[in-house]
Amino acid sequence: PDGAPQRAMGDAARLIRRGWQRLIASILDCEKPVVAAVNGTAAGGGAQLVLSCDLVVMAESAKLVEVFVRRGIIPDAGGAYLLPRIVGTHVAKELMFLADDVSAPRCAELGIANRVVPADALAAEVDALAARLATAPTRALALTKGLINRSLESGRHAAFEDEAAAQDWLTASSDFDEGISAFRERRDP
């Protein structure tokens, strides 16, 4: 409207840093596995929210769209960081340059979605997956998630050192003791 102040330089960056980037980082840094259930269109920041999750289950009718260039802006919420790590640089550029809708089956083909299910089965599938994760050894899951996330930004030597240190720490835990006992007794931990 007339007379309204224009945005000051730095406003957009501040909003992104305090909003979307903080949310995406909290999911990436969370020690617990985070499961996305997508039952509709995940666009813009919503698409990046999906990409930041550890596991993604999509309804057959769901879709993802990197809509930013349609609006004359660049991907934010960590999109240019996350998407190439999942699908590779050429596919990431295609999805971000063309801003086409990506169907759930195509998301599965690209490695964005772990599972695609009928819409009426989405909640049950996600609940079953979450229940399975909830019974897994928490420290092993947390350390595995951290190792995988860090491996994308470190070299082989650093990754091997991280792995050795984590395994050393974990073998002194009650999760490890229970896992070994269950293995010996041929039962579920």
Side-chain angles (χ1 to χ4, degrees):
D2 289 338
Q6 292 187 339
R7 284 189 181 201
M9 198 61 159
D11 283 351
R14 249 186 317 283
L15 286 171
I16 290 168
R17 286 185 186 113
R18 291 179 183 165
W20 279 113
Q21 288 178 351
R22 183 180 282 171
L23 175 61
I24 298 301
S26 71
I27 293 169
L28 294 171
D29 296 338
C30 178
E31 289 189 345
K32 293 175 176 57
V34 179
V35 180
V38 185
N39 190 19
T41 300
Q48 291 15 320
L49 187 61
V50 169
L51 298 176
S52 69
C53 291
D54 300 303
L55 300 172
V56 177
V57 183
M58 295 181 80
E60 291 169 334
S61 57
K63 59 187 172 183
L64 182 135
V65 57
E66 292 289 348
V67 72
F68 298 96
V69 297
R70 289 188 199 172
R71 308 295 177 247
I73 57 176
I74 57 112
D76 61 22
Y81 171 84
L82 295 165
L83 190 60
R85 286 168 165 73
I86 297 169
V87 302
T89 56
H90 285 100
V91 173
K93 288 174 184 177
E94 176 186 357
L95 298 180
M96 290 183 164
F97 291 175
L98 302 179
D100 292 333
D101 292 358
V102 183
S103 69
R106 180 73 175 135
C107 284
E109 289 172 18
L110 295 173
I112 295 169
N114 298 93
R115 300 176 185 178
V116 176
V117 299
D120 61 354
L122 181 65
E125 183 74 17
V126 170
D127 287 348
L129 189 56
R132 186 171 174 191
L133 290 168
T135 63
T138 56
R139 298 310 313 150
L141 285 176
L143 289 169
T144 300
K145 177 177 177 173
L147 287 170
I148 292 168
N149 286 347
R150 279 191 307 280
S151 76
L152 299 171
E153 298 169 7
S154 66
R156 177 177 50 89
H157 295 290
F160 279 18
E161 284 301 314
D162 285 349
E163 175 186 285
Q167 195 71 289
D168 194 44
W169 182 85
L170 196 57
T171 57
S173 73
S174 59
D175 282 355
F176 175 76
D177 292 341
E178 172 57 18
I180 294 300
S181 294
F183 176 74
R184 285 186 189 135
E185 298 166 14
R186 297 183 191 266
R187 62 172 173 80
D188 291 334

